[in-house]
Amino acid sequence: MTGFLDFEKQVAALDRQIAELREMGGDPTLNIDNDIARLEDKSSKLLREIYAKLTPWQKTQVARHPDRPHFKHYVAGLFDDWMPLAGDRNFGDDQAILGGLARFRGRRVMVIGHEKGDDIPSRMKHNFGMAKPEGYRKAIRLMQLADRFGLPVVTLVDTSGAFPGIQAEERGQAEAIARSTEQCLALGVPMVAAIVGEGGSGGAIALAAANRVLMFEHAVYSVISPEGCASILWRTSDKAADAAAAMKMSAQDLLALKIIDAIVPEPVGGAHRAPEIAIKSLGDAIARELDKLSGLPRDALLAAREEKFLAMGRA
């Protein structure tokens, strides 16, 4: 059953009524099909109305929904011949960032992304998608491998931010993030990044300094979380909704600011309600961008990426 968010209470109430009527449907003396159809239509219309006018804070809640597709679901739904590659050849293997070789619609690619996990054991294993330095150094190694063999790079970003623990700082977290961002910018092969959930802080940009940056309709992308911003500005996280609105972190705002290049539509009610549709939609968008970039020489890819990021913030 779908996990409902706070602003979806009316939809949740309607869906409970529908479920109760379905349970009564086995009684041959009752004819409730019309009632069920009416409630389903009402629920669908209400959901569409709600999602047509989400606030930035509500979009943040949708982006964080635990039932949204994760890296492993995109790999299973979009890529063939998946061969995971592990380790940074320096310290260890960070399961918060996964990557490997795959075939995408007939094209060999390198796929890298954050994995949050979808239950308690897997979330602990993947550290809720918060990577440590060895995760970013693994990403650097895989990007360099892709560059060496002329493979396009596809990254899927979904993290609240890099892991802030003291052991990560001791192993050079800031340097690893900076080097990963640098490696993205130095790639001589096409790179397409997609913000599929949360794109938080340097932990996100380290995998998203790409030729083309896509973003799901209800994803968010920002330098800090709304709660973190509110704690700095107002000394309380209770102002997170105000911070989210001020930060311009929605896909629609970021497209207008030319931070991202395209918005990928989600099913009504968010990607978590129809994961297969969302995954296919993202695959179509990635394919379009790779088609546009394929065949461009190394110098053109480097120059276009440089111009793209230097142009941000210009009047």
Side-chain angles (χ1 to χ4, degrees):
M1 180 176 289
T2 300
F4 290 95
L5 298 168
D6 288 343
F7 59 86
E8 299 175 324
K9 289 179 179 177
Q10 290 177 287
V11 177
L14 287 171
D15 283 6
R16 279 195 298 270
Q17 292 181 46
I18 293 169
E20 290 168 1
L21 287 174
R22 288 191 187 282
E23 289 179 2
M24 298 167 56
D27 189 338
T29 64
L30 299 174
N31 184 6
I32 57 176
D33 290 347
N34 290 338
D35 290 333
I36 291 175
R38 177 178 55 80
L39 288 173
E40 286 179 334
D41 184 60
K42 185 176 180 180
S43 175
S44 177
K45 287 181 179 177
L46 181 58
L47 191 67
R48 192 176 297 276
E49 290 172 3
I50 290 171
Y51 273 77
K53 52 184 180 182
L54 291 181
T55 66
W57 176 238
Q58 288 170 337
K59 284 183 178 288
T60 303
Q61 293 174 274
V62 176
R64 293 173 175 173
H65 199 290
D67 294 334
R68 280 180 80 86
H70 297 296
F71 181 82
K72 66 178 182 181
H73 301 121
Y74 292 108
V75 168
L78 294 177
F79 301 95
D80 300 315
D81 301 332
W82 163 245
M83 181 184 293
L85 300 173
D88 68 344
R89 302 298 186 268
N90 182 37
F91 180 83
D93 184 45
D94 184 0
Q95 288 288 301
I97 290 180
L98 302 179
L101 299 166
R103 191 176 297 278
F104 174 67
R105 300 186 180 182
R107 178 188 280 122
R108 292 296 293 178
V109 298
M110 182 69 77
V111 189
I112 308 168
H114 299 95
E115 173 60 66
K116 284 185 171 181
D118 51 13
D119 57 24
I120 296 299
S122 64
R123 286 168 189 155
M124 295 296 291
K125 174 183 176 181
H126 298 289
N127 200 34
F128 299 85
M130 296 186 294
K132 298 173 184 176
E134 50 271 23
Y136 294 107
R137 291 181 179 128
K138 173 167 65 175
I140 293 168
R141 184 175 74 84
L142 298 188
M143 285 189 275
Q144 290 174 341
L145 188 65
D147 203 1
R148 188 182 313 157
F149 291 101
L151 302 176
V153 175
V154 176
T155 60
L156 305 177
V157 176
D158 188 13
T159 181
S160 58
F163 182 64
I166 188 169
Q167 63 267 54
E169 297 298 333
E170 289 173 343
R171 295 199 294 273
Q173 182 72 290
E175 185 268 349
I177 289 172
R179 294 289 185 188
S180 184
T181 307
E182 178 186 46
Q183 184 58 56
C184 290
L185 296 170
L187 282 173
V189 294
M191 181 177 181
V192 176
I195 316 298
V196 297
E198 284 186 277
S201 191
I205 193 65
L207 297 186
N211 291 99
R212 303 289 289 177
V213 180
L214 310 176
M215 191 168 171
F216 262 133
E217 181 181 359
H218 302 310
V220 293
Y221 189 24
S222 63
V223 71
I224 192 173
S225 70
E227 296 92 334
C229 178
S231 295
I232 293 170
L233 294 180
W234 293 289
R235 300 292 190 269
T236 173
S237 60
D238 294 340
K239 293 280 190 177
D242 295 328
M247 289 164 63
K248 305 295 183 185
M249 60 193 298
S250 72
Q252 295 73 21
D253 285 330
L254 294 172
L255 182 64
L257 292 169
K258 298 182 179 179
I259 302 298
I260 64 169
D261 299 293
I263 296 174
V264 181
E266 296 187 31
V268 175
H272 59 281
R273 279 192 163 81
E276 297 84 2
I277 296 174
I279 290 170
K280 182 182 182 304
S281 182
L282 180 64
D284 292 341
I286 292 172
R288 285 194 295 271
E289 300 304 335
L290 286 178
D291 287 342
K292 294 176 186 175
L293 296 170
S294 64
L296 292 178
R298 182 184 186 89
D299 289 347
L301 290 167
L302 288 167
R305 205 177 295 129
E306 179 181 7
E307 174 58 26
K308 171 185 173 65
F309 285 91
L310 288 177
M312 291 180 183
R314 289 179 186 169

